[in-house]
Amino acid sequence: MSRKYVIINSDEVDLVDFSQVDETSADTLRWSVKEDGSQGDKTFVKFDSATTPSFLEGKTQYTHSEILIILATDEWTQQPK
């Protein structure tokens, strides 16, 4: 079983059952970054289960190597000014 990563929008965070993912609460989520450095509107969760949690069904799942590429983009990394 391999870890899966799923990107979600900020308005979906309330739907997350934190007992089914590796994060413990909304406070432990990593967020995308806007150009001005403020918090963006996307985050992601990860899970190790062979069964996809129901609140993540139908969403794109990424492997570790795939999510690392995404998280290295400007949308997820605050650039020095």
Side-chain angles (χ1 to χ4, degrees):
M1 163 174 44
S2 63
R3 182 169 285 174
K4 302 278 193 315
Y5 301 79
V6 178
I7 296 172
I8 60 174
N9 293 317
S10 59
D11 61 351
E12 297 172 293
V13 171
D14 289 340
L15 304 175
V16 174
D17 179 348
F18 286 98
S19 70
Q20 296 182 33
V21 296
D22 291 348
E23 292 72 27
T24 56
S25 72
D27 296 330
T28 62
L29 297 172
R30 175 177 169 180
W31 292 87
S32 59
V33 180
K34 293 182 181 177
E35 279 189 35
D36 66 2
S38 63
Q39 178 178 303
D41 60 351
K42 294 180 185 174
T43 187
F44 67 94
V45 293
K46 55 188 174 287
F47 63 96
D48 291 315
S49 173
T51 304
T52 301
S54 60
F55 57 90
L56 297 175
E57 285 181 8
K59 299 196 172 297
T60 303
Q61 296 180 15
Y62 300 96
T63 64
H64 185 252
S65 58
E66 290 170 332
I67 200 72
L68 287 179
I69 292 168
I70 294 168
L71 297 179
T73 65
D74 289 349
E75 182 178 15
W76 291 91
T77 306
Q78 186 170 354
Q79 301 299 313
K81 298 191 186 245

